[in-house]
């Protein structure tokens, strides 16, 4: 007796055979099935990360084109190109000459250069806005702390990519930027001069900086960015995507659309929109026309020079720092605080804050649970206020980076603008923190009022006894869930300073410090409405009386279904 085993049908098409061959050797079909069935929440703010990703794709495509025509050499040559006429016969570096030739002689070269530059600006802008969204909504909480560190590292690498690329043409603007970089490096105590000599291959500007920056820009930094993007996406899929609060959304489920075809279709459409917008910007909006500035000459310093927006905060920090009395000579070493503090200490504080904040908040909250539902920014007043305060400081420094242009365009005193921005740099973030925190607490109180009393309708009714009341419309279940489904954390509670035998407890001082920080975060809070409070607010005898008298002459107008008085 024989038994016949029915084997699965063999694929007949070339594509099917190729897929079957690959699946039998890699089991990629299992992974593909999981990804296809993956559910992603649907919200417009989630596209911010996609804008950064697709802008980077445009950077890679245009950068590959530019690499084929750019010559990263600082050797001197005379320019004999037909255009532009004002550069004919000038002595310049090969790097600058190849940039000009690429723009004027290569078909599509200027379009690619400008697309590349605009894509870099959009890439960094979208990363910053994406990180703001993550910060204000608490998407960095467990289990996503590692992904937050990866994202912050990507931002630093993006700044490095922008700086190295901006410096490659070797024009006056980029050369001045490198000169500032040389000063910043030399301001580092003890090792600064040695680091500058190593970076530039001798005294500034040397002969090696452009080739070295080129290697970093096209090889090392893009490779690191690609690797971190892969880690970032892998962790996003592994930990599942966060979702905004709402009815039925919990830390145990995901409410959204399937990856295929809905989410994938949106991603493809988003890519073509971003590519088209960047192509339109590159074709119609001139940027970084280096031939207007000329080749770099260390003896020239241009007025009104501005770096790209992402470096404006560093430029402004340097411009605001006073110079008098900030250079000290200690044991034969010059300590240039006028450069070290604004260019090293302040950016270091900014990125240190970004790196440690998820762990700081987890420590002062005492909450080590997994969170997959995002916070409403109003429900975390101190976190939101801190974010706004840091953004305020960043904006003030960016404005300070254009203080000379403000002075010339508005016919104002440069010194007056500088002093005003110096004061504002210290006062502005404090005011922004206080105002933002009060706004968040006020919005939380408004949420309580809406849940307990409903929305105002503007309708006034009168009882038979002559009493006038306003009729409110109760919130629906979805809105009520949104406004009450959050946790108002309390300051940490710690054990007493001494144990039962009167012996001072080890670690009490550390616990006390963390308790003070926790009080800073959660001393002022608004508790969400409890079921008991909601039941008490809705248990009004007057409501039944209005329902019974609806349509009677004693009422000004009949109330709508579901409305009640307050």
């Amino acid at each position: 007796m024989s038994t016949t085993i029915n084997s699965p049908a063999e694929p007949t098409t070339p594509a099917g055979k190729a897929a079957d061959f690959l699946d039998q050797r890699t089991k990629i079909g299992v992974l593909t099935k999981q990804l296809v069935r993956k559910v992603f929440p649907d919200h417009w703010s989630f596209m911010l990360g996609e804008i950064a990703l697709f802008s980077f794709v445009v950077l890679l495509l245009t950068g590959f084109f530019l690499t084929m025509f750019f010559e990263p050499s600082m050797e001197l040559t005379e320019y004999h190109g037909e255009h532009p006429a004002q550069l004919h016969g000038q002595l310049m570096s090969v790097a600058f000459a190849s940039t000009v030739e690429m723009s004027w002689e290569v078909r599509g070269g200027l379009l690619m250069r400008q697309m590349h530059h605009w894509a870099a600006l959009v890439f960094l802008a979208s990363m910053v806005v994406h990180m703001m969204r993550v910060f204000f909504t608490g998407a960095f909480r467990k289990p996503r702390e590692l992904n937050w560190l990866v994202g912050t590292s990507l931002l630093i690498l993006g700044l490095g990519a922008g700086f190295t690329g901006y410096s490659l043409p070797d024009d006056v603007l980029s050369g001045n930027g490198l000169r500032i970089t040389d000063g910043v490096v030399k301001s580092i105590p003890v090792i600064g001069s040695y680091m500058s000599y190593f970076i530039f291959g001798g005294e500034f500007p040397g002969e090696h900086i452009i080739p070295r920056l080129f290697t970093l820009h096209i090889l090392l930094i893009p490779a690191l960015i690609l690797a971190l993007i892969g880690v970032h996406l892998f962790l996003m899929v592994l930990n599942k995507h966060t979702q905004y609060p709402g009815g039925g959304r919990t830390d145990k489920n995901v409410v959204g659309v399937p990856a295929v075809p809905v989410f994938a279709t949106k991603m493809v459409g988003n890519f073509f929109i971003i590519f088209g917008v960047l192509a339109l910007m590159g074709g119609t909006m001139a940027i970084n026309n280096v031939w207007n500035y000329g080749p770099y000459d260390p003896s020239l310093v241009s007025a009104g020079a501005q770096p790209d927006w992402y470096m404006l905060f560093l430029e402004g920090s340097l411009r605001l720092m006073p110079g008098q009395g900030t250079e000290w000579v200690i044991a034969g070493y010059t300590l240039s605080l006028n450069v070290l503090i604004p260019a090293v200490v302040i950016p270091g504080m900014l990125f240190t804050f970004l790196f440690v904040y998820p762990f700081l908040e987890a420590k002062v909250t005492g909450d080590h649970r997994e969170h997959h539902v995002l916070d409403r920014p109003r429900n975390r007043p101190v976190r939101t206020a801190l974010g706004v305060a840091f953004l305020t400081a960043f904006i003030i420094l960016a404005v300070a980076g254009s203080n000379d242009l403000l002075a010339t365009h508005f016919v104002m005193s440069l010194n007056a603008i500088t002093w005003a921005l110096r004061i504002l740099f210290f006062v502005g973030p404090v005011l922004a923190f206080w105002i933002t925190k009060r706004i968040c607490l006020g919005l939380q109180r408004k949420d309580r009022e809406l849940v307990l009393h409903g929305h105002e309708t503007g309708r006034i009714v009168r009882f038979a006894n002559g009493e006038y009341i306003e009729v409110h419309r109760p919130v629906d279940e979805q809105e009520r869930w949104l406004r009450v489904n959050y946790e108002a954390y309390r300051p940490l509670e710690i054990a007493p300073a001494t144990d039962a035998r009167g012996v001072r407890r080890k670690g009490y001082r550390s616990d006390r410090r963390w308790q003070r920080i926790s009080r800073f975060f959660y001393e002022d809070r608004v508790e969400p409405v409890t079921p008991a409070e909601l039941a008490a607010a809705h248990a009004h005898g007057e409501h039944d009386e209005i329902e019974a008298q609806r349509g009677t002459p004693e009422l000004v107008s009949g109330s709508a279904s579901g409305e009640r008085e307050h």
Side-chain angles (χ1 to χ4, degrees):
M1 179 178 181
S2 62
T3 303
T4 303
I5 300 177
N6 295 326
S7 60
E10 295 290 335
T12 57
T13 64
K17 292 179 180 179
D20 182 66
F21 175 86
L22 187 63
D23 181 53
Q24 290 186 27
R25 288 153 181 82
T26 63
K27 301 301 180 183
I28 196 173
V30 178
L31 178 61
T32 303
K33 183 185 295 184
Q34 292 178 349
L35 290 177
V36 167
R37 293 178 177 178
K38 193 78 174 177
V39 175
F40 287 89
D42 192 13
H43 194 271
W44 67 265
S45 65
F46 296 149
M47 298 178 67
L48 296 170
E50 295 180 22
I51 294 175
L53 175 63
F54 297 146
S55 298
F56 183 69
V57 173
V58 175
L59 282 171
L60 293 179
L61 296 175
T62 55
F64 176 77
F65 179 92
L66 299 177
T67 303
M68 293 188 291
F69 300 98
F70 180 74
E71 299 181 42
S73 173
M74 298 186 71
E75 292 184 8
L76 296 180
T77 184
E78 283 192 6
Y79 184 73
H80 296 288
E82 184 177 356
H83 301 286
Q86 71 269 21
L87 294 181
H88 187 76
Q90 284 195 30
L91 195 64
M92 60 186 66
S93 67
V94 172
F96 184 84
S98 67
T99 303
V100 176
E101 290 176 354
M102 181 196 312
S103 304
W104 288 87
E105 307 297 336
V106 176
R107 188 180 298 273
L110 182 59
L111 173 64
M112 292 294 107
R113 275 196 63 233
Q114 296 188 155
M115 280 185 64
H116 192 75
H117 203 122
W118 281 119
L121 300 183
V122 173
F123 174 58
L124 283 160
S126 55
M127 274 203 297
V128 170
V129 179
H130 175 64
M131 291 191 67
M132 289 168 53
R133 197 274 303 174
V134 172
F135 180 84
F136 286 122
T137 60
F140 54 79
R141 295 173 297 170
K142 184 181 179 180
R144 297 175 181 84
E145 302 97 331
L146 181 59
N147 222 2
W148 171 262
L149 300 182
V150 171
T152 306
S153 302
L154 278 170
L155 179 61
I156 296 175
L157 287 172
L159 294 175
F163 172 75
T164 54
Y166 184 82
S167 304
L168 289 179
D170 199 29
D171 60 299
V172 170
L173 281 180
S174 63
N176 286 336
L178 285 174
R179 186 54 162 167
I180 294 173
T181 304
D182 177 55
V184 171
V185 172
K186 287 180 177 177
S187 71
I188 301 175
V190 182
I191 63 173
S193 58
Y194 300 101
M195 290 180 62
S196 173
Y197 196 88
F198 172 76
I199 292 172
F200 290 92
E203 289 295 332
F204 178 86
E207 299 179 353
H208 307 290
I209 186 61
I210 297 299
R212 291 176 178 180
L213 290 177
F214 183 72
T215 303
L216 290 173
H217 184 69
I218 71 164
L219 182 61
L220 182 60
I221 295 179
L224 292 175
I225 291 178
L226 280 172
L228 288 183
I229 287 176
V231 174
H232 192 70
L233 296 177
F234 172 76
L235 290 175
M236 183 194 70
V237 174
L238 179 66
N239 295 324
K240 75 181 181 181
H241 207 294
T242 55
Q243 56 186 344
Y244 281 91
R249 300 176 184 181
T250 68
D251 290 329
K252 305 297 183 180
N253 66 0
V254 179
V255 179
V257 297
V260 178
V262 181
F263 189 76
T265 303
K266 288 186 176 182
M267 287 188 65
V268 173
N270 193 20
F271 170 74
F272 284 111
I273 290 174
I274 293 168
F275 190 93
V277 170
L278 290 175
L280 182 64
M281 294 172 69
T284 60
M285 303 170 67
I287 189 171
N288 199 28
N289 294 332
V290 295
W291 51 89
N292 291 331
Y293 314 134
Y296 179 60
D297 184 344
S299 64
L300 297 178
V301 178
S302 61
Q306 302 293 303
D308 284 334
W309 73 267
Y310 51 85
M311 286 295 180
L312 265 179
F313 82 101
L314 188 60
E315 176 81 9
S317 182
L318 287 166
R319 293 188 184 191
L320 290 187
M321 184 69 185
Q324 186 176 5
T326 55
E327 283 194 358
W328 301 346
V329 178
I330 302 175
Y333 292 97
T334 301
L335 185 61
S336 301
L337 296 179
N338 57 335
V339 179
L340 182 67
I341 291 178
V344 179
V345 175
I346 291 180
M349 292 173 58
L350 170 64
F351 285 104
T352 300
F353 171 81
L354 293 177
F355 275 114
V356 305
Y357 186 83
F359 308 97
L360 172 65
E361 184 174 296
K363 180 70 174 180
V364 300
T365 304
D367 182 8
H368 301 288
R369 299 168 298 172
E370 289 193 3
H371 294 276
H372 302 289
V373 177
L374 299 172
D375 290 326
R376 300 176 77 203
R378 67 180 64 183
N379 294 332
R380 297 291 178 264
V382 173
R383 179 208 294 161
T384 304
L386 284 173
V388 173
F390 270 84
L391 284 176
T392 302
F394 180 87
I395 293 172
I396 291 171
L397 292 179
V399 172
S402 304
N403 60 351
D404 54 342
L405 294 181
L406 293 175
T408 55
H409 282 65
F410 295 99
V411 194
M412 299 173 65
S413 168
L414 178 64
N415 289 333
I417 293 175
T418 301
W419 272 105
L421 291 173
R422 283 173 179 170
I423 297 172
L424 195 60
F425 175 71
F426 293 99
V427 176
V430 176
L431 287 177
F433 176 88
W434 182 80
I435 292 172
T436 303
K437 182 179 177 182
R438 303 321 301 177
I439 290 175
C440 289
L441 292 173
L443 290 173
Q444 284 184 280
R445 294 188 181 97
K446 182 64 176 178
D447 284 345
R448 283 185 59 88
E449 178 184 347
L450 290 175
V451 171
L452 292 175
H453 307 299
H455 293 278
E456 297 178 357
T457 62
R459 290 187 58 250
I460 305 298
V461 300
R462 187 183 67 185
F463 286 112
N465 60 4
E467 178 187 2
Y468 287 89
I469 61 173
E470 180 185 8
V471 178
H472 285 211
R473 175 174 54 81
V475 298
D476 57 33
E477 293 183 0
Q478 291 288 338
E479 184 179 359
R480 183 183 301 121
W481 176 284
L482 180 66
R483 297 184 186 277
V484 304
N485 189 34
Y486 71 94
E487 184 175 354
Y489 292 98
R490 299 171 180 268
L492 292 175
E493 296 182 2
I494 61 175
T498 58
D499 57 20
R501 295 176 297 176
V503 179
R504 188 171 183 82
R505 182 171 61 85
K506 185 178 180 180
Y508 173 75
R509 291 185 178 180
S510 175
D511 292 346
R512 185 63 176 167
R513 284 193 296 268
W514 283 111
Q515 187 183 50
R516 292 194 186 99
I517 299 175
S518 181
R519 285 178 177 173
F520 167 76
F521 274 83
Y522 303 116
E523 188 73 33
D524 297 329
R525 64 188 182 277
V526 177
E527 299 286 345
V529 176
T530 64
E533 290 176 322
L534 186 62
H538 288 184
H540 290 293
E542 294 87 352
H543 176 68
D544 298 331
E545 188 174 349
I546 286 182
E547 293 294 330
Q549 299 180 28
R550 179 175 298 173
T552 61
E554 288 79 10
L555 294 180
V556 175
S557 62
S559 60
S561 176
E563 294 180 349
R564 56 187 176 82
E565 83 293 347
H566 287 285

